[in-house]
Amino acid sequence: MNSISILNGRLIDPAAERDEIIDLHLAAGRILAIGQPPAGFVAEQVIDARERVVCPGLVDLSAHLREPGLEVKANIASETAAAAAAGITSLCCAPDTDPVIDSPAVVELIRRRAKQSGKAMVLPIGAITQGLRGDALSEMAALHEAGCVALSNGLRPFKNTQVERRALEYAVTFGLVVFVRPEDRHLRGNGCVHEGPVATRLGLPGIPAAAETVAVARDIALAEHTGARLHFHGISTATAVRKIRRAQHDGLPITADCAVHQLHLTEQDVDGYNSDCHLIPPLRTLQDREALRQALAEGVISALCSDHQPHEEDAKQAPFPSTEPGISGLETLLPLSLKLVRDGLLSLPEAIARLTLGPAQVVDIPAGRLSLGNSADICIFDPEADWVLDREQMHSAGHNTPFHGWHLPGRVCYTLFEGRVVYQS
């Protein structure tokens, strides 16, 4: 029986409202005891977590693992190893693989590859329409039974509102949450940056904030009509935040997340045609960023995610509009969140809640908490460590990040998945 004691750490578990110096004891992959060990318990391994934070393994709602089909960018083994180095033990895998996650066979393939890697739990998000084409609905019941924790149309907005309505009605029958990345495809057009002065000065086609807020208004109306549980993924604008806050106030079953990089960057960072800042949704204004920060502090946004999109080097070596959007975000999820603590926006327990309990509740999984008998998925990090991100040292196969050279707080020391040490710095 594999047994581990983690001693002297500051254990923070927002689910149990626990924040204290206390020991943790693990056996057979589960949490055996908190505090005193059971009589006769002898640990095979002891981890001294003095001056370290011990918290649940992080839960990331949006990671593009690129397998199957896009292994030139990354694969499940490489990205779950990167997740382990980042303290992440559960990842929701976006459905836009090739083939798309719209059949139990693809779900089974992903789960099998993740199990072979053994570094983190991969939770597939099923395609809500066949091939993500937006017209015919997928076999939702089969996807649910195969292990999908949510449904989504990925990065592709619905072409037809009636199809979206039917999809939400069908999802309700299975109690599945539907992820939407709100975007009006006609308003977006061929835009690649936020529509504003920076886009004008650089001569780049813009995406207006209204492309997001129009879609949010439509989706809220459909959620109210169908009763579906809706999760807004990747919110980027102040107006969208206001609409979501109002919908939550009215009692609709609506949650929201945002990518942590949206809380640190703005449209100004695109200056110089920085392709590492080519993102969808685009980086918005300073006012939008502050509204997102406020919504996070209030809990309107209950989850932070990496929106991890690793790319090969060539994908970012082209004229700006032709580069592929997205950043490799797994390894900056925790430090950028801790930076919000240093900025005074969140307390440390609140930041950990947005990375553990909040996302776990969105997809209704038992992860993100340190309950007795639960899987021993744990992150141990040094909150006082300061370090400089070097893209060449990243564990992900994708080194595309706008945070190269940034001084960041907090360093993961250990990650345990199912009671095993899967990363040690």
Side-chain angles (χ1 to χ4, degrees):
M1 181 174 70
N2 186 29
S3 57
I4 298 175
S5 286
I6 302 171
L7 307 180
N8 308 310
R10 177 183 172 186
L11 193 151
I12 300 178
D13 179 12
E17 299 183 349
R18 187 189 291 272
D19 181 358
E20 59 182 319
I21 307 293
I22 196 168
D23 300 335
L24 194 61
H25 308 281
L26 322 174
R30 301 281 167 182
I31 297 172
L32 183 65
I34 299 173
Q36 292 295 320
F41 177 81
V42 178
E44 297 171 349
Q45 181 179 359
V46 174
I47 296 174
D48 185 0
R50 195 182 311 271
E51 298 183 353
R52 306 285 188 265
V53 170
V54 179
C55 69
L58 311 188
V59 180
D60 189 0
L61 290 178
S62 177
H64 297 255
L65 303 182
R66 305 308 197 190
E67 186 179 2
L70 294 169
E71 288 85 350
V72 67
K73 296 179 181 294
N75 58 48
I76 289 172
S78 68
E79 301 318 286
T80 53
I88 300 166
T89 54
S90 298
L91 306 96
C92 290
C93 169
D96 52 353
T97 50
D98 183 15
V100 164
I101 306 175
D102 62 359
S103 72
V106 180
V107 175
E108 176 56 29
L109 170 66
I110 291 171
R111 288 165 64 94
R112 187 169 64 249
R113 295 283 168 80
K115 190 172 182 178
Q116 289 169 348
S117 172
K119 300 285 189 181
M121 180 66 71
V122 174
L123 305 161
I125 295 178
I128 202 165
T129 60
Q130 295 176 23
L132 296 176
R133 290 184 293 273
D135 42 23
L137 300 184
S138 62
E139 294 291 337
M140 297 183 198
L143 291 173
H144 180 41
E145 290 174 5
C148 288
V149 294
L151 299 168
S152 168
N153 218 49
L155 304 179
R156 306 181 194 179
F158 282 94
K159 297 177 182 175
N160 185 317
T161 306
Q162 182 71 342
V163 173
E164 182 176 359
R165 173 192 171 182
R166 298 302 181 207
L168 296 183
E169 289 173 339
Y170 202 38
V172 168
T173 63
F174 301 104
L176 280 167
V177 62
V178 176
F179 280 39
V180 289
R181 171 166 275 181
E183 183 182 70
D184 184 286
R185 56 200 294 264
H186 302 292
L187 286 173
R188 173 186 167 176
N190 64 345
C192 60
V193 293
H194 174 68
E195 184 178 283
V198 175
T200 301
R201 178 158 47 81
L202 297 179
L204 295 172
I207 303 173
E212 179 171 293
T213 53
V214 164
V216 167
R218 177 200 62 206
D219 295 340
I220 288 174
L222 289 175
E224 186 171 20
H225 180 75
T226 62
R229 288 175 55 211
L230 211 58
H231 178 71
F232 285 108
H233 165 55
I235 293 300
S236 69
T237 64
T239 308
V241 164
R242 286 200 298 273
K243 292 183 181 301
I244 292 168
R245 181 187 288 114
R246 181 67 213 187
Q248 291 175 341
H249 174 77
D250 291 342
L252 296 182
I254 285 173
T255 52
D257 72 52
C258 72
V260 71
H261 54 252
Q262 291 281 359
L263 302 172
H264 295 278
L265 304 173
T266 70
E267 59 177 340
Q268 300 293 335
D269 291 286
V270 177
D271 224 347
Y273 301 98
N274 181 0
S275 61
D276 281 326
C277 289
H278 183 188
L279 307 171
I280 300 296
L283 297 171
R284 300 290 187 180
T285 67
L286 181 61
Q287 292 73 27
D288 288 313
R289 191 188 75 174
E290 293 310 303
L292 292 175
R293 284 183 164 218
Q294 186 61 37
L296 182 74
E298 295 172 356
V300 173
I301 294 174
S302 61
L304 285 169
C305 70
S306 70
D307 203 13
H308 178 64
Q309 299 184 49
H311 288 297
E312 74 281 22
E313 189 174 347
D314 287 350
K316 291 290 187 180
Q317 301 296 325
F320 190 95
S322 300
T323 58
E324 295 188 50
I327 77 167
S328 180
L330 292 176
E331 290 158 82
T332 48
L333 177 59
L334 177 63
L336 289 177
S337 301
L338 295 177
K339 204 168 187 310
L340 299 173
V341 176
R342 290 203 175 174
D343 291 348
L345 182 72
L346 300 173
S347 66
L348 183 54
E350 287 172 336
I352 291 173
R354 304 294 188 273
L355 296 168
T356 57
L357 181 62
Q361 287 179 326
V362 169
V363 288
D364 195 22
I365 58 174
R369 64 201 76 199
L370 298 175
S371 306
L372 295 181
N374 240 26
S375 180
D377 300 344
I378 297 165
C379 171
I380 303 173
F381 66 92
D382 180 355
E384 301 302 324
D386 286 298
W387 57 290
V388 178
L389 178 65
D390 180 348
R391 70 170 80 227
E392 299 306 323
Q393 301 299 316
M394 292 172 67
H395 295 78
S396 169
H399 297 171
N400 48 302
T401 174
F403 299 107
H404 172 70
W406 276 45
H407 289 260
L408 296 172
R411 191 119 212 195
V412 175
C413 306
Y414 291 88
T415 301
L416 292 88
F417 173 59
E418 296 181 341
R420 295 176 288 110
V421 175
V422 292
Y423 175 78
Q424 179 178 352
S425 63

